[in-house]
Amino acid sequence: MTEGRMTQEKPFELCVVIDDDDDILLAARLLLRAIFGEVLTFRDPESAFAATAGLTPEAFLLDANFSRGATNAAEGFEWLGRFLARDPQAVIVMITAHAGVQVAIEAMKRGATDFVTKPWSNERLLATVRTAAALRASRKAVAQKDKVAMIAAAPAGETPLLGTSPAMARVQQLIDRAAPTDANVLILGENGTGKELVARELHRRSRRAERIMLPVDLGAVAESVIDSELFGHVKGAFTDARADRIGRLQAADGGTLFLDEIGNLPLHLQPKLLTALEQRKVTPVGANKPVAVDIRVIAATNLSAGQIADEGRFRQDLLFRLNTVEIVLPPLRERREDIPALVAHYHALYARKYAQPVHPIAPELMAALVAYDWPGNVRALRHAIERAVILAGDAPFGIEDIPLRSHGSPEPVRIDRAAVVEAPPPPDDMNLERVERRLVETALMKHGYNISSAAAELGLTRASLYRRMEKHGL
């Protein structure tokens, strides 16, 4: 192996040339040093394959034949396939003889980016390899841009997982055991119980903690684009596919992928996800070659164990792949002893956010909060405390600031004589943004933060309701 070292700034970093002719290697190295910082040359593809593991050259030049007298390019095709199997984004230019036009055509069909014939024209070789290297750089830039955008859009998840009740102690024990492993985890629980917090805790304690945890809310993604969102697509795969785009599985490579509301994954896509998890490879929409990924999958659903076990709703072979470890989160009504700590946490959190003092909470108010069933679970309690902090201002908040509603009823429940029925919004407030926020909030509270029921009452899809919740900070 010989190599040219960088002596000045070049447009591209690395090119690999593989040919059994030393004169060809020398000529290529001297010529390509004009545009590459480093040129690695190899006399046989096996050595090149081993030496470039983990590297991402902008271009490969690969001879079609290596055995003496061979003209059918069988060896070149074999190694072309092996390099592309290892890195489907690799850019490979085949080197053929003048009489090898059919070989060149077949190489392009098998995934080669371009070809050059030997003896070559120096200008032709430089132009071909420069174009190929620019293609590779463009692919890397697009993939990195997509990944950065997905990571930037992912929420930070700073809220801790709170609770010392026996029910939560069991959850913590499962997290302790599962987190350090790479086992897939399925989290079951009602809406608002904190499934994403458990997922983040599993990631935080894992060996992947320094890498990305990328959440995907399948309940908020339109069914028509879930395939592209998860697996990515190539340019021209469908009408609006104007450029290659990586999917969430590729973006989470090396880290953790959190599939929230996995029960919403359409049946026809479940086999594709199963294949990706089993083979550790992803095939983008419209692509012919899979891309290797290294991810840990944590999934969550508000479906019950019986519903998720329904073969007509969810493939059982995929379920077995996802629930290596199964964690069931208890609803808040089954861990009432945790409510005072949750109230104190969110009281302090929103007091800081809105620059309000933290006042002691009256014992009778805390008793009312503990006695309430909280159909929306921790999420509903959090919103209730935020609302109370806002309405009370710098005064202690009371039961009148937290309208506790009976399950399925829009009317407040009178807990004691201090309870006050909340008046409806002023009818003369016609501001569309405020009216929409009130309607969404009312529907969510009425249905205990059950997204499907609230969306149905509002005449929206789940995805549309999620977008409005995000828009209004709900």
Side-chain angles (χ1 to χ4, degrees), residues 164-175:
T164 57
S165 62
M168 287 305 293
R170 288 191 293 273
V171 170
Q172 291 286 3
Q173 288 173 357
L174 288 171
I175 293 174

Side-chain angles (χ1 to χ4, degrees), residues 91-371:
V91 168
I92 302 177
V93 176
M94 292 292 291
I95 306 174
T96 69
H98 269 312
V101 175
Q102 288 304 119
V103 169
I105 294 173
E106 182 62 25
M108 299 281 281
K109 289 180 180 179
R110 293 174 181 243
T113 302
D114 208 336
F115 68 94
V116 292
T117 58
K118 56 182 179 182
W120 58 60
S121 154
N122 286 347
E123 292 76 12
R124 163 70 175 165
L125 177 65
L126 275 176
T128 300
V129 177
R130 184 190 295 273
T131 301
L135 173 64
R136 172 67 171 186
S138 174
R139 287 177 179 175
K140 289 169 67 175
V142 169
Q144 184 63 22
K145 180 180 177 182
D146 288 343
K147 185 169 183 176
V148 168
M150 291 179 190
I151 293 172
E158 296 177 354
T159 303
L161 185 65
L162 300 173
T164 57
S165 62
M168 287 305 293
R170 288 191 293 273
V171 170
Q172 291 286 3
Q173 288 173 357
L174 288 171
I175 293 174
D176 291 341
R177 294 173 184 172
T181 74
D182 255 356
N184 293 335
V185 179
L186 177 64
I187 307 168
L188 303 179
E190 296 178 6
N191 285 323
T193 49
K195 296 186 288 294
E196 183 168 350
L197 296 183
V198 172
R200 291 192 176 281
E201 189 68 8
L202 286 164
H203 175 71
R204 187 182 68 82
R205 300 196 209 170
S206 74
R207 292 191 293 266
R208 300 170 182 262
E210 299 303 316
R211 307 299 295 272
I212 178 69
M213 173 182 153
L214 192 61
V216 185
D217 187 348
L218 296 173
V221 180
E223 183 174 334
S224 59
V225 299
I226 286 181
D227 196 357
S228 172
E229 189 71 19
L230 288 179
F231 305 105
H233 63 251
V234 297
K235 182 180 180 180
F238 47 86
T239 303
D240 292 328
R242 298 183 179 90
D244 290 358
R245 184 176 185 274
I246 65 170
R248 298 300 179 108
L249 275 78
Q250 279 183 264
D253 188 36
T256 301
L257 182 69
F258 175 48
L259 296 175
D260 200 4
E261 302 293 354
I262 188 69
N264 287 347
L265 184 66
L267 269 172
H268 71 275
L269 288 180
Q270 292 179 20
K272 187 170 183 177
L273 177 60
L274 176 63
T275 300
L277 297 182
E278 287 181 337
Q279 298 181 359
R280 300 280 181 172
K281 294 180 180 178
V282 173
T283 304
V285 179
N288 296 320
K289 296 182 176 64
V291 180
V293 292
D294 172 25
I295 56 173
R296 181 191 193 177
V297 174
I298 301 174
T301 179
N302 60 6
L303 298 179
S304 67
Q307 290 173 319
I308 199 73
D310 179 0
E311 184 73 48
R313 190 169 195 168
F314 205 84
R315 288 181 61 108
Q316 296 309 286
D317 46 2
L318 176 57
L319 177 61
F320 296 149
R321 174 64 60 174
L322 292 172
N323 72 343
T324 305
V325 177
E326 187 174 285
I327 297 177
V328 181
L329 271 179
L332 195 51
R333 62 185 175 276
E334 292 181 6
R335 56 180 187 110
R336 297 181 189 274
E337 54 267 64
D338 291 331
I339 290 177
L342 290 165
V343 170
H345 171 77
Y346 289 117
H347 187 189
L349 174 69
Y350 290 116
R352 287 195 304 272
K353 179 177 180 179
Y354 298 111
Q356 300 294 348
V358 177
H359 295 285
I361 297 177
E364 60 272 17
L365 173 57
M366 184 62 76
L369 297 176
V370 171

